[in-house]
Amino acid sequence: MKIVVLKFGGTSVGSTDRIKKVSKIITSYIKKKYKVIVAPSAMKGVTNDLIRKSKEISNNFISDEYDVLVSSGEQMSCSLIAGSLNHLGYKSRSWLGWQVPILTEGGFSKARIKYIYKKNIMKYLKSGGIPIVAGFQGINSNSRITTIGRGGTDASAIMLARFFNAEKCIIYTDVEGVYTTDPNTIKKAKKIKVISYEEMLEMASLGAKVMQPHSIQDARLNRIDIDVRSSFKQTSGTLITKRKNILSNKIIRGVSFTKNDAKITLVGVKDRPGVAASIFEPLYINSINVDMVVQNISSNGRETDLTFTIKSEDSVKTEKLLKKNKKINFRKIIVDKKVSKVSIIGVGMITTPGVTYRMFNALAKKNINIIVISTSEIKISVLLNRRDLNKAVNILHKEFRLEK
Ligand code: ADP
Ligand code: ASP
Ligand code: MG
């Protein structure tokens, strides 16, 4: 049995007209003798609207009910697609996470798919039906509804492909594939034909919204090839696959950026062994993710400055936690929400010297100040003033000849 999993993102199912278009894409695979499993997102804007509603009730909306609420958008798109396929004369029905069931582990809003029961959907596929399985949702061991993080339908599709042993997993979205940088921000962005899991994971984690980072981890662990393409245009897309399958010798594959960072500096921290751990412990307990960290060497052995970045939405909470932390002493706290992080990504930098220099030099030539730097084997990130963001992305795109 040739199975294909088709994921449709929010814009792709954003209106009833779009649902009709998507139904045509689905039936085109049926005509090619595929058994199709569909994983749709909620219609564009619906999940954001549900989140807004929860905030109107409480800024601390109870986490288990929050997941019941925000997962409900996918129920609507599933039934609309099934209804549309029925209208065209095809057998189709919706499956919510608890009906499959899709088992998840981990806390509400950040669960991960652990197991998908196959029996009923398999039977349905064999009988010629088209199952529409709600993305983004599952249940935990107490049968409570869970969600798997924003953009999570990507991971739902990949895990469906894994458990059903699909021949293909196709992510239909509103751009033609994965680009060297966000094509909606930088006009010269170029579509990437093939990219490794490692590079895609870095690009996604560092801000390329086109794929959810967890979904790429799931794909890499299970060796699922992903085809990212447009639901609006019939053009070839991007293949995300293992490194061995890639011949191209690009040093840098892409430039990612984020706009929602905040920088916190603690000035005059009393230095002693364990101080960094004392600063970050309450942030960890409150699930606040710390990204870049720099600590100056204390010149007199007594005091130091420590700078780190977090998501801007966490900045108020972080400031409060730092101020009430009895284990640390500092003179002043500075919060800067007008920063952005720009990263260059590519496995080629492992073997090519001088990439760091080229990046810093290109930014310096345009008078762009670097605030914080962090590197890994296949990426270099710099924190900048947000007003320099577009200029920086453009100049790095050019420096590493990504438009070619
Ligand atoms: P979907 O609703 O289909 O899941 P998303 O909005 O989550 O779609 O992701 C697609 C968007 O990702 C694009 O519209 C684009 O603006 C953005 N994006 C950011 N970086 C990239 C990139 N490097 N390549 C392609 N798209 C990107
Ligand atoms: N609807 C969810 C979100 O907006 C999941 C998804 O779109 O993949 O985050
Ligand atoms: Mg998405």
Side-chain angles (χ1 to χ4, degrees):
M1 193 155 59
K2 285 197 306 186
I3 297 179
V4 60
V5 174
L6 308 180
K7 181 255 171 174
F8 295 96
T11 317
S12 301
V13 296
S15 64
T16 45
D17 261 351
R18 290 295 316 157
I19 299 258
K20 290 177 192 168
K21 296 254 162 52
V22 154
S23 304
K24 289 273 191 293
I25 298 178
I26 297 168
T27 56
S28 73
Y29 286 89
I30 299 288
K31 286 173 188 149
K32 282 185 251 166
K33 304 277 177 254
Y34 277 103
K35 300 285 183 193
V36 183
I37 302 176
V38 181
S41 292
M43 295 168 93
K44 188 179 170 61
V46 169
T47 312
N48 283 345
D49 191 45
L50 294 166
I51 293 172
R52 211 173 301 123
K53 287 195 168 67
S54 79
K55 293 219 168 95
E56 282 168 19
I57 299 288
S58 164
N59 257 333
N60 242 335
F61 201 93
I62 181 168
S63 57
D64 42 8
E65 290 306 327
Y66 181 86
D67 277 18
V68 177
L69 175 71
V70 302
S71 62
S72 62
E74 273 69 13
Q75 175 162 344
M76 171 161 67
S77 49
C78 271
S79 57
L80 286 170
I81 297 173
S84 167
L85 289 169
N86 277 300
H87 179 79
L88 295 174
Y90 291 83
K91 176 173 161 179
S92 179
R93 65 155 277 197
S94 61
W95 251 283
L96 300 180
W98 64 269
Q99 293 172 312
V100 179
I102 295 176
L103 300 189
T104 64
E105 57 190 355
F108 292 107
S109 299
K110 51 173 189 281
R112 301 285 293 267
I113 295 174
K114 168 169 90 176
Y115 193 79
I116 300 180
Y117 279 86
K118 282 169 58 173
K119 204 171 135 213
N120 293 330
I121 291 181
M122 215 47 168
K123 205 164 131 198
Y124 192 68
L125 282 171
K126 282 185 183 146
S127 75
I130 309 172
I132 319 295
V133 182
F136 185 46
Q137 55 176 266
I139 52 169
N140 65 15
S141 53
N142 296 322
S143 296
R144 296 298 317 253
I145 290 174
T146 53
T147 61
I148 59 172
R150 293 306 306 270
T153 306
D154 293 335
S156 305
I158 283 152
M159 292 309 262
L160 283 165
R162 176 198 158 185
F163 281 98
F164 285 88
N165 228 333
E167 202 170 273
K168 287 181 192 211
C169 180
I170 307 180
I171 305 289
Y172 278 99
T173 184
D174 56 7
V175 285
E176 285 178 41
V178 179
Y179 281 69
T180 48
T181 191
D182 186 348
N184 288 326
T185 308
I186 306 292
K187 289 291 155 259
K188 287 195 171 147
K190 210 166 169 241
K191 191 166 44 175
I192 299 171
K193 282 203 183 86
V194 21
I195 182 169
S196 65
Y197 297 121
E198 290 78 7
E199 289 167 321
M200 189 65 237
L201 181 57
E202 290 283 6
M203 280 193 61
S205 310
L206 295 166
K209 192 183 169 217
V210 62
M211 289 300 297
Q212 190 216 31
H214 286 160
S215 74
I216 304 300
Q217 272 172 340
D218 290 336
R220 178 165 69 156
L221 286 173
N222 298 294
R223 294 293 178 217
I224 311 275
D225 282 356
I226 309 166
D227 181 2
V228 184
R229 54 174 60 225
S230 167
S231 69
F232 291 77
K233 278 191 191 164
Q234 268 200 326
T235 46
S236 63
T238 300
L239 173 68
I240 308 172
T241 186
K242 54 178 181 256
R243 241 193 257 186
K244 270 198 188 143
N245 295 345
I246 301 174
L247 298 170
S248 122
N249 53 2
K250 279 251 148 116
I251 303 169
I252 298 301
R253 187 77 59 195
V255 182
S256 284
F257 55 88
T258 51
K259 290 183 185 162
N260 59 344
D261 305 275
K263 172 174 74 91
I264 303 219
T265 303
L266 294 176
V267 181
V269 183
K270 293 269 177 306
D271 204 8
R272 56 167 177 78
V275 69
S278 304
I279 290 170
F280 293 123
E281 187 187 14
L283 307 189
Y284 158 70
I285 292 169
N286 283 276
S287 299
I288 293 171
N289 213 2
V290 175
D291 183 15
M292 305 168 113
V293 184
V294 268
Q295 186 185 334
N296 285 343
I297 297 167
S298 79
S299 53
N300 54 11
R302 288 191 300 272
E303 271 192 356
T304 180
D305 296 344
L306 187 115
T307 296
F308 60 92
T309 63
I310 48 171
K311 291 227 169 80
S312 17
E313 70 211 42
D314 291 331
S315 61
V316 174
K317 198 169 172 189
T318 304
E319 197 176 346
K320 272 194 202 142
L321 287 168
L322 290 166
K323 282 185 174 159
K324 72 171 197 206
N325 186 345
K326 295 256 158 28
K327 288 193 192 161
I328 52 171
N329 275 301
F330 53 86
R331 270 189 281 126
K332 198 163 80 175
I333 178 166
I334 305 167
V335 181
D336 182 354
K337 291 193 205 157
K338 293 212 170 71
V339 290
S340 282
K341 186 171 66 169
V342 180
S343 312
I344 57 171
I345 297 110
V347 291
M349 71 172 77
I350 301 175
T351 45
T352 314
V355 176
T356 316
Y357 164 74
R358 274 175 72 187
M359 180 184 196
F360 296 171
N361 192 42
L363 295 171
K365 275 203 251 159
K366 291 278 167 192
N367 249 330
I368 297 172
N369 189 39
I370 300 173
I371 309 170
V372 183
I373 302 162
S374 85
T375 62
S376 80
E377 214 184 15
I378 65 164
K379 69 112 198 228
I380 307 168
S381 302
V382 293
L383 194 73
L384 314 162
N385 202 309
R386 192 161 304 156
R387 64 158 192 261
D388 291 332
L389 176 65
N390 268 33
K391 200 160 67 166
V393 177
N394 270 307
I395 191 70
L396 294 173
H397 201 262
K398 192 162 169 217
E399 171 66 29
F400 293 99
R401 298 190 177 85
L402 294 175
E403 67 264 33
K404 296 269 154 57

